[in-house]
């Protein structure tokens, strides 16, 4: 299992604490330093079953500078969204956990982290 985190994020720290408490084996990816490529973002979106705008932090200053709230949310603009996430990784919702069974989820709650653990043990 891999978890994409920003160490400054309280939800990321909570997720790591829960994974540690459960004795989970995982790899940490500090995605602001080890920025995912557009292809990696596409792969995670496929695993999540979400679109790029679903995992975009639209309240960030960078999102406002880019005018993301005005961007269309459709197939024609999907690549533009993915490019923005790769260029501005701070816009990616966190933490994201990818389990060994091929699933992924945005683990912003304890329940979501426990769901990832269940998938990882499957």
């Amino acid at each position: 299992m891999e978890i994409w985190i920003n160490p400054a994020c309280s939800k990321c720290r909570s997720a790591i604490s829960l994974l540690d408490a459960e004795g989970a084996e995982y790899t940490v990816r500090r995605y602001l330093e080890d920025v995912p490529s557009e292809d990696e973002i596409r792969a995670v979106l496929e695993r999540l079953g979400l679109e790029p705008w679903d995992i975009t932090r639209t309240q960030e200053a960078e999102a406002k500078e880019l005018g993301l709230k005005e961007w269309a949310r459709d197939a024609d603009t999907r690549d533009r969204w993915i490019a923005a996430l790769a260029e501005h990784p701070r816009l990616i919702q966190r933490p994201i956990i990818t389990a060994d069974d091929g699933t992924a989820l945005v683990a912003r709650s304890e329940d979501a982290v426990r769901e990832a653990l269940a998938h990882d043990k499957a």
Side-chain angles (χ1 to χ4, degrees):
M1 156 168 32
E2 181 175 81
I3 181 169
W4 292 7
I5 68 158
N6 172 352
C9 166
S10 63
K11 293 194 184 297
C12 293
R13 292 191 306 271
S14 295
I16 293 286
S17 294
L18 182 55
L19 292 174
D20 288 343
E22 295 293 327
E25 291 186 23
Y26 61 92
T27 303
V28 169
R29 180 170 186 171
R30 293 179 178 217
Y31 71 93
L32 297 180
E33 299 162 17
D34 182 6
V35 178
S37 68
E38 289 183 28
D39 285 342
E40 287 175 305
I41 292 169
R42 280 187 190 87
V44 164
L45 287 167
E46 186 173 323
R47 291 173 73 170
L48 288 166
L50 297 173
E51 293 295 339
W53 45 86
D54 296 326
I55 65 162
T56 301
R57 298 170 55 85
T58 58
Q59 297 303 316
E60 293 286 332
E62 292 171 56
K64 291 175 182 169
E65 289 170 18
L66 293 170
L68 287 182
K69 285 193 175 184
E70 285 75 48
W71 287 17
R73 296 176 181 211
D74 58 28
D76 291 339
T77 59
R78 188 172 198 271
D79 286 342
R80 183 180 182 199
W81 282 86
I82 291 169
L85 292 174
E87 191 172 328
H88 306 277
R90 188 171 305 280
L91 298 177
I92 299 172
Q93 193 59 261
R94 58 186 183 251
I96 293 177
I97 297 177
T98 55
D100 291 341
D101 71 353
T103 61
L105 50 87
V106 179
R108 295 188 55 77
S109 69
E110 184 175 317
D111 287 344
V113 175
R114 290 195 186 284
E115 183 179 337
L117 285 165
H119 281 283
D120 200 56
K121 293 175 183 168

